[in-house]
Amino acid sequence: MSSESTPASKILIVDDQNEVCSVLSWCLEREGMIPVVAHTGEAGLEKIRTEHPDAMLLDIQLPDSNGLEMLKQVKGHDEDLPVILITGYPEIRTAVAAMRAGAHDYLAKPLKNHEVLRVVFRALNERALRRKVRQLSSHVLEGASSLLEFMGPSDAIRRLAAEVDRVAKTNFSVLILGETGAGKELVAHAIHQLSSRSEGPIMAVDCGAIPEPLLESELFGHEKGAYTGADKQKIGRFEMAHGGTLFLDEISNMPWGSQAKLLRVLQEKTIYRIGGNQPIKTDVRVLAASNRDLNKSSEEGAFRRDVYFRLNEFSLVVPSLRERQEDILYLAKRFMDSTNLELQKTVHGFTQSAVDALLAYEWPGNVRQLRSMIRRAVLLADESISVQHLGIRAQPQGPKTPEADSESTVFDSSKGSLSLREVMECKKAAIEREILTQVLRETGGNKAKAARLLQIDYKTMHSKVKQYGISID
C-alpha cells in the first residue's frame, strides 16, 4: 500500500479520544506518512493553518464543535483538502449530510486499519490528480510552442503562433478576431507571456457580461460615495493591470458611451475613477477580442470607428475548428487524457466510427464544444469512446442502400439525442460526401478533374476526400 501514497504525506487527525489518535498515528506511520494530532476543532483549524496537511481524519463529535460545521470551515480555508469524517454513531442521514457538505468519505467506529488506509490512499491520489488536471488545463502559456500544445499542430495554428511571436515583442494594441470558443483568450495569454510585460499582471474583462453602469466601474474604478451603493473605493481593472496587460473580451458588446471613455484612456494613458477628479496615469497594453467583424460593425455605425482603428494596430484571426481539421483528433485526445486523470478512468481511445464522426462534424461551438463533448464521452465510456458516447453520428462510408439510410437516421424522437441544428449539420455532411463520391466515381478517382467539375480548388477536394474517408477503387 505504501507505494500508492504520496511520500511523507501529512495527515491531520482530529479526535478527542487519545486511544483512537494513537492507533491511527501508528497505522499511518507504518505506511510512511506523518500524523499530526489535534483533540479539538479549534486546535484542528490551527493545525491546518500551520501544518498544511494533505488529508484530514475528522471526528464528527468533538468537545467544542460539530464535525459537519467544522467541515464547512475547513473547506473555506482549503477547498481541496480531502476530509474523511469519523463517527461512532453511523446513520444514513448523517452520511448523506457529510457528503453534501464536501466530505471525501465517511468511516464508522470501530475503525479497521485496512479500511482507513484504503480511504486515505484514495484521498491522497485524488488530490494529486486534481493538481495534475489543473496544470494540464492552466491557461498560463510559456510561449508560441505552448500555443501549439494547447491549440494543435496544424499549419493554421503554426502560422498564428508565428504572428503571436512577432507582435508580442511590440507594445501594439492587438485585435483578436474569431468565433466563440475558438481560443481567443489563449492567444491573448500567449501574447502577454511572450511580451516584456510577462512579469506584470494580465487582467480580463468580459464586456458582454457586465451592464453598462457596472462596466465603467469595473474598468476605471470608483470613489466611495460616487453613486448609491458605492460604500467604499474600488480599484478598476486598468489600475490593477498597471505594468501588464488588459484583455477586453467581446469588445463589440461594449456600450457606445463606454467606448468613448475607453478611447480617451487609450490616447491619454490616464484614467479617472467614477466620482473622482484625480488623474491616474496607467501603463497598460490593451488586447481586445471579438467574434464579430469589427470593421463592418464600425462601417455600419454599430461600433465607434475611431476606437476600432485605435485597437487595431495589429490584428490576429483565430481560425475556427472546422478550418483546421488536423487539430480535431489531437485536441480530442488531449481532452480525453485530462478527463481520464480527473475522473480516474482509463478510456484509451476512439472507435473508427467516432473518429469519422469527429472529423465530419462542423463544430459550431469550436474547441469549447469539442472539450465539453469529450469530457461527457469519457464519463460515459468504459474502454473506448464510440459515436453513442459523443452524441453525434458518423457519416456512412460506402454507397447508400435503404438499410444504410435507415441506420444513418440522426434523430430519434424517443431519445431526443440531437438538436435540430446538429441534425442539419450531419445531413449536410452526408449529402456532401455522397456528391463527392459520385463525382469521383464519374472521373475514375481523378481528384483534379472532380474539383474542376465541382468548381472547388484541388486542396479543398483533397482535404474533403481525406475528411470523409472516400476511397474509389
Side-chain angles (χ1 to χ4, degrees):
M1 278 189 175
S2 60
S3 62
E4 297 178 17
S5 67
T6 304
S9 296
K10 194 177 291 185
I11 313 299
L12 174 60
I13 305 166
V14 183
D15 197 299
D16 61 332
Q17 297 181 24
N18 288 326
E19 184 180 351
V20 171
C21 292
S22 296
V23 172
L24 287 174
S25 296
W26 173 82
C27 183
L28 295 170
E29 284 177 337
R30 285 190 60 188
E31 297 298 328
M33 288 176 272
I34 302 171
V36 177
V37 175
H39 297 299
T40 65
E42 184 179 353
L45 291 171
E46 181 61 26
K47 293 290 186 182
I48 290 174
R49 287 189 287 268
T50 59
E51 299 289 343
H52 307 292
D54 299 295
M56 180 179 185
L57 290 160
L58 172 63
D59 189 9
I60 207 166
Q61 292 294 336
L62 295 168
D64 62 339
S65 63
N66 175 277
L68 289 176
E69 290 301 318
M70 184 177 170
L71 175 59
K72 295 176 183 177
Q73 293 178 273
V74 171
K75 289 297 180 180
H77 181 80
D78 183 353
E79 187 178 0
D80 285 341
L81 180 65
V83 179
I84 302 156
L85 287 178
I86 301 172
T87 182
Y89 306 98
E91 296 179 353
I92 293 298
R93 64 174 180 271
T94 307
V96 171
M99 302 313 286
R100 284 178 176 172
H104 172 80
D105 215 325
Y106 185 87
L107 294 172
K109 295 179 181 178
L111 300 174
K112 298 178 180 178
N113 290 353
H114 71 278
E115 182 68 13
V116 172
L117 290 174
R118 182 184 67 80
V119 173
V120 169
F121 285 137
R122 188 172 64 199
L124 293 172
N125 287 336
E126 289 187 13
R127 183 177 172 92
L129 284 170
R130 281 196 297 271
R131 287 174 175 171
K132 288 181 181 178
V133 169
R134 279 197 296 271
Q135 291 171 358
L136 283 172
S137 59
S138 171
H139 283 185
V140 179
L141 303 178
E142 297 177 353
S145 60
S146 291
L147 195 64
L148 297 175
E149 177 186 345
F150 276 80
M151 297 188 72
S154 65
D155 289 343
I157 295 302
R158 290 183 185 280
R159 288 192 295 270
L160 176 63
E163 291 182 326
V164 165
D165 186 62
R166 182 179 299 111
V167 75
K169 296 176 176 61
T170 73
N171 206 36
F172 286 12
S173 296
V174 181
L175 187 58
I176 307 169
L177 303 172
E179 295 180 6
T180 299
K184 298 187 292 295
E185 188 170 355
L186 281 172
V187 171
H189 278 267
I191 293 171
H192 175 73
Q193 289 299 323
L194 283 167
S195 75
S196 59
R197 298 173 175 269
S198 60
E199 297 300 317
I202 176 169
M203 307 299 299
V205 178
D206 187 341
C207 299
I210 306 173
E212 182 172 3
L214 298 180
L215 178 60
E216 292 185 17
S217 174
E218 190 71 19
L219 289 172
F220 312 123
H222 64 247
E223 298 291 355
K224 181 178 179 179
Y227 51 83
T228 303
D231 55 352
K232 59 183 178 181
Q233 184 189 72
K234 176 184 172 66
I235 304 300
R237 294 302 178 98
F238 264 99
E239 284 184 78
M240 295 169 67
H242 184 76
T245 303
L246 180 65
F247 174 53
L248 301 176
D249 199 9
E250 300 308 341
I251 187 73
S252 57
N253 292 316
M254 180 177 282
W256 191 271
S258 299
Q259 292 177 37
K261 294 180 180 179
L262 173 63
L263 178 63
R264 187 185 66 191
V265 173
L266 293 174
Q267 291 174 339
E268 299 177 3
K269 308 293 184 183
T270 301
I271 67 165
Y272 290 84
R273 298 193 194 114
I274 298 174
N277 52 22
Q278 182 67 34
I280 301 169
K281 285 292 184 182
T282 61
D283 174 23
V284 175
R285 181 186 195 175
V286 174
L287 308 176
S290 176
N291 61 1
R292 301 178 192 169
D293 184 343
L294 275 194
N295 184 38
K296 183 178 179 182
S297 295
S298 68
E299 289 176 346
E300 295 172 348
F303 192 84
R304 287 185 62 117
R305 197 137 180 86
D306 47 5
V307 177
Y308 166 69
F309 285 128
R310 184 62 185 79
L311 291 172
N312 192 29
E313 292 184 323
F314 192 87
S315 64
L316 294 168
V317 178
V318 183
S320 65
L321 189 56
R322 61 183 169 277
E323 294 176 281
R324 47 188 180 98
Q325 281 210 322
E326 306 97 306
D327 295 330
I328 293 174
L329 297 182
Y330 170 85
L331 290 170
K333 184 181 184 304
R334 192 168 73 79
F335 296 144
M336 179 188 71
D337 290 342
S338 64
T339 309
N340 269 331
L341 279 174
E342 179 184 351
L343 302 181
Q344 287 190 275
K345 297 191 71 171
T346 55
V347 177
H348 55 73
F350 302 81
T351 65
Q352 186 58 52
S353 60
V355 169
D356 294 340
L358 288 170
L359 294 177
Y361 193 58
E362 288 292 309
W363 300 110
N366 288 291
V367 179
R368 190 175 297 158
Q369 181 186 12
L370 174 62
R371 180 178 182 273
S372 297
M373 186 180 291
I374 298 301
R375 283 173 58 79
R376 175 181 178 274
V378 173
L379 176 64
L380 296 174
D382 292 321
E383 295 182 358
S384 59
I385 294 174
S386 67
V387 176
Q388 288 72 29
H389 300 133
L390 295 172
I392 55 177
R393 303 276 183 145
Q395 301 308 311
Q397 294 297 307
K400 289 183 69 176
T401 64
E403 292 79 14
D405 186 57
S406 174
E407 291 175 359
S408 68
T409 301
V410 294
F411 184 77
D412 183 342
S413 60
S414 66
K415 297 179 181 179
S417 56
L418 294 178
S419 68
L420 177 61
R421 181 170 186 171
E422 289 172 323
V423 171
M424 297 307 295
E425 293 291 350
C426 289
K427 287 295 186 184
K428 174 185 172 185
I431 293 169
E432 185 175 57
R433 185 184 192 282
E434 185 177 359
I435 292 171
L436 289 168
T437 302
Q438 180 180 337
V439 174
L440 281 167
R441 283 204 181 104
E442 291 175 357
T443 61
N446 187 322
K447 289 194 283 288
K449 187 175 180 180
R452 287 194 296 273
L453 288 172
L454 292 171
Q455 299 181 35
I456 59 176
D457 59 63
Y458 179 80
K459 186 176 180 180
T460 300
M461 169 62 73
H462 183 74
S463 66
K464 291 290 185 183
V465 169
K466 183 178 178 181
Q467 171 186 340
Y468 295 123
I470 300 173
S471 177
I472 306 298
D473 297 326

